Amino acid sequence: MHNPESKKDPIELKSPRELELMRNAGRVAGLALMEVQKLVAPGITTKDLDKAAERFIRQAGAKPTFLGYRGYPASICASLNEEVVHGIPGKRKLKDGDIISIDLGATLDGFVGDTAATYAVGEISEKAKELIFYTKKSLDEAILLMREGNRLGDIGACVQSVVEPRGFGVVREFVGHGIGRNMHEAPAVPNYGTKGTGIRFDLGLVLAIEPMVTAGNYAVKVLDDGWTVVTKDGSLAAHFEHTVAVTKSGPVVLTAI
Ligand code: MF3
Ligand code: CO
Ligand code: CO
């Protein structure tokens, strides 16, 4: 989400029953993303991917969360190459060598699951492979920090520590977020920060953690369509996201399949 949005609202912790409902919503989102992943290949349009995701989400009895959100016109975001997030699906065809970030949300029984991943289209450059690998790794390592007593700054510090030594940039203007009955809840979850600072994690906290990482400078801008976020320097970007709960038994990835 855009950085300052809903930062100051109170943080709503979820009960075990609410987490169960969030797991159901999250599973639908995770499975929908897997369906889309299967279709990623040269020649398919981003609109085709959007339609497949929408069909899957609706067949599961859920709603595509993004459709109509602040006027957003589709069920997924499909962001190619230098596009970071919020790319609008359309007639553009995927081609060999592209990378594509797919983000989608499912609302079920009043709760939202939000998840994203970046995929290779055919054969991609070594640089692009490395960008995807370390962006995913930064999310995987950050997820392990979703434990009672840890702090918000631990997440951003972790993401930075994984990607910056490889020369990659961490986007500042867009961040992760709390999530529950609404896709975007407090707190904002920056992918940069200082270990040991920020709010303390309590049981029932649910965050959408979503590192957005660039192969060059981290500065971004929004295109004239009002949505598509691209790197200012035209460098490639990757994006991975999971909805994750802090529980007695540790981190639970609600959008896992
Ligand atoms: N799911 C995105 C996020 O991770 C937000 C998408 S906004 C929409 O925060 F309008 F495209 F839905
Ligand atoms: Co998302
Ligand atoms: Co999100």
Side-chain angles (χ1 to χ4, degrees), residues 1-2 65-77 85-86 103-105 114-116 175-177 183-184 208 210 212 227 239 241:
M1 70 171 184
H2 202 264
T65 313
F66 296 8
L67 191 61
Y69 176 85
R70 293 178 179 235
Y72 189 74
S75 298
I76 69 170
C77 299
V85 288
H86 302 170
D103 190 349
L104 61 82
D114 186 8
T115 186
V175 296
H177 47 92
M183 174 160 63
H184 292 156
E210 51 178 311
M212 287 152 265
W227 283 103
H239 177 214
E241 175 175 31

Side-chain angles (χ1 to χ4, degrees), residues 45-60:
T45 70
T46 50
K47 189 77 199 161
D48 294 333
L49 299 177
D50 181 60
K51 286 297 142 206
E54 179 173 4
R55 198 176 319 117
F56 183 91
I57 291 167
R58 292 197 192 280
Q59 271 173 7

